[in-house]
Amino acid sequence: MHISRPFTSDDTRRLDEALHELVDSGGSPGGVIVCGTTGGDRHILTAGIVAPECGDAPPGENTLYDIASLTKVVATWPLVGRAVTDGRMDLDAPIHAYLPRIDGDAPSGAVTIRQLLAHTSGLRAETRLDHYRNTATGLAELMCREALEQPPGSHRYINRGYILLGLALAHIYARPLYELADRLWAEAGMTHTTYGPVSRARHVAPTEQRLNGAPRIWGAPHDDNAALLGGVAGHAGVFSTPADLAVYADHLLVQHAATTAIGAWLDASLAPQADIEPGLHRGLSWILADGHQTAYHHGFTGTSLYLAPYAGRYVVICTNAVYHGPARERIAPLRALARKTISTTF
């Protein structure tokens, strides 16, 4: 049963205070939260500035953020869902079945689509694509030929699985990943979401400074491996706005309520595939909480997307908290509050 329940004034006040606390404490130059429901309830909360490089421009719903690992659920996960629905992929088939032919031993190519989505593949956790330079062998084959670090089954968050999924999607559709994603986003009404790099501008949030005295990363993917792939990868590389992520969240929730193919894919993804920690499970891509009633995912740069499908509620967080270095601890209180706020309906 789907019941859309609006956010209360106390909900939005607490989220606004937490966002301002993050910014005022130096945790992020600024940020935007959008929370809403399929019933049309929508609140936009902002704090701070986009970044000093952008002058005193405040962030807003059209500020463009590097969403980092939200790429997994905004690009790769829905595209895999479409491939499964189209009969082009089988969740329990090995990834090598959807890549150019690999002759000989390829242990990492034997893991399944389901295991890659659920981070239970046992692939190497370290992803250093710079180690694959200066070779004539294709990236997919190089990755598939590597030994597993552990037997499949246990949860371990691994980016390279989504890199393989991105390569597989491009192969089975014979189209670049960014073209597949562009079509998907256009259908959902997301007009400003794109793979990077993008041009530097006042509405584009810079991220981290890697070297003292050097410019910050601005308009280019923060993730090194995505950058080595030209900005287009299954695990990272997408830029989006708070408004577009809200459109995407609303689209998923509406489709879920209507039990369309997209909604059915989301519903299937809410089934737990592996334990993360007490109270948290991994579904297909998404982290599941509150008895699998809440699904969410984070991005390293300081972004998050929360869905409560059966309540028709969503929360989008966009910050460039990585501007000040690794952001996980600094943004943790805001993320925890967002999860608590969206789950109060249960």
Side-chain angles (χ1 to χ4, degrees), residues 18 21-22 328-339:
E21 183 175 347
L22 172 69
R328 183 175 180 178
E329 290 187 7
R330 286 180 280 110
I331 200 170
L334 176 59
R335 285 173 166 168
L337 178 62
R339 178 184 153 194

Side-chain angles (χ1 to χ4, degrees), residues 175-259:
R175 294 176 61 188
L177 182 61
Y178 71 86
E179 287 189 8
L180 299 174
D182 283 346
R183 178 183 173 187
L184 179 91
W185 297 327
E187 291 172 357
M190 302 163 69
T191 56
H192 294 93
T193 301
T194 182
Y195 269 104
V198 299
S199 298
R200 295 181 176 185
R202 283 167 59 89
H203 73 285
V204 177
T207 55
E208 194 173 11
Q209 183 185 48
R210 293 283 177 77
L211 298 172
N212 288 334
R216 292 182 183 276
I217 300 170
W218 189 5
H222 176 271
D223 183 273
D224 290 336
N225 294 305
L228 283 170
L229 290 172
V232 181
H235 72 297
V238 171
F239 287 73
S240 190
T241 64
D244 261 16
L245 291 175
V247 166
Y248 178 63
D250 185 75
H251 175 70
L252 290 179
L253 297 178
V254 168
Q255 297 299 313
H256 185 259
T259 63

Side-chain angles (χ1 to χ4, degrees), residues 155-178:
H155 182 268
R156 191 179 187 188
Y157 189 81
I158 297 174
N159 280 324
R160 68 172 50 232
Y162 281 74
I163 295 175
L164 282 172
L165 288 169
L167 295 172
L169 287 163
H171 180 67
I172 64 174
Y173 283 104
R175 294 176 61 188
L177 182 61
Y178 71 86

Side-chain angles (χ1 to χ4, degrees), residues 29-30 47-52 54-60 63 65 201-206 320 323:
I49 59 174
V50 176
C54 304
D56 58 359
T63 301
Y65 288 90
R202 283 167 59 89
H203 73 285
V204 177
N320 51 335
Y323 187 94

Side-chain angles (χ1 to χ4, degrees), residues 3-4 36-41 249-254 257 311-314:
I3 301 174
S4 179
T37 72
T38 54
D41 177 50
D250 185 75
H251 175 70
L252 290 179
L253 297 178
V254 168
R313 290 156 60 104
Y314 65 83

Side-chain angles (χ1 to χ4, degrees), residues 24-215:
D24 293 344
S25 65
S28 180
V32 182
I33 295 174
V34 183
C35 51
T37 72
T38 54
D41 177 50
R42 190 165 180 266
H43 306 271
I44 302 170
L45 313 173
T46 67
I49 59 174
V50 176
E53 289 86 343
C54 304
D56 58 359
E61 60 180 330
N62 293 316
T63 301
L64 197 62
Y65 288 90
D66 178 347
I67 65 172
S69 280
L70 284 190
T71 297
K72 294 179 176 71
V73 294
V74 172
T76 307
W77 168 78
L79 287 171
V80 170
R82 176 164 294 183
V84 170
T85 300
D86 290 347
R88 292 175 179 259
M89 272 187 172
D90 183 330
L91 283 175
D92 296 307
I95 184 67
H96 72 71
Y98 307 107
L99 294 166
R101 179 173 174 175
I102 301 172
D103 294 320
D105 190 33
S108 289
V111 300
T112 68
I113 303 300
R114 183 187 303 275
Q115 290 166 340
L116 294 174
L117 286 172
H119 298 281
T120 59
S121 63
L123 296 177
R124 282 181 54 194
E126 182 187 50
T127 304
R128 289 285 304 276
L129 297 190
D130 56 308
H131 290 172
Y132 301 126
R133 286 173 167 167
N134 304 317
T135 176
T137 305
L139 176 60
E141 181 171 345
L142 289 169
M143 296 177 73
C144 286
R145 287 190 178 281
E146 293 183 338
L148 297 177
E149 278 195 344
Q150 60 189 39
S154 298
H155 182 268
R156 191 179 187 188
Y157 189 81
I158 297 174
N159 280 324
R160 68 172 50 232
Y162 281 74
I163 295 175
L164 282 172
L165 288 169
L167 295 172
L169 287 163
H171 180 67
I172 64 174
Y173 283 104
R175 294 176 61 188
L177 182 61
Y178 71 86
E179 287 189 8
L180 299 174
D182 283 346
R183 178 183 173 187
L184 179 91
W185 297 327
E187 291 172 357
M190 302 163 69
T191 56
H192 294 93
T193 301
T194 182
Y195 269 104
V198 299
S199 298
R200 295 181 176 185
R202 283 167 59 89
H203 73 285
V204 177
T207 55
E208 194 173 11
Q209 183 185 48
R210 293 283 177 77
L211 298 172
N212 288 334

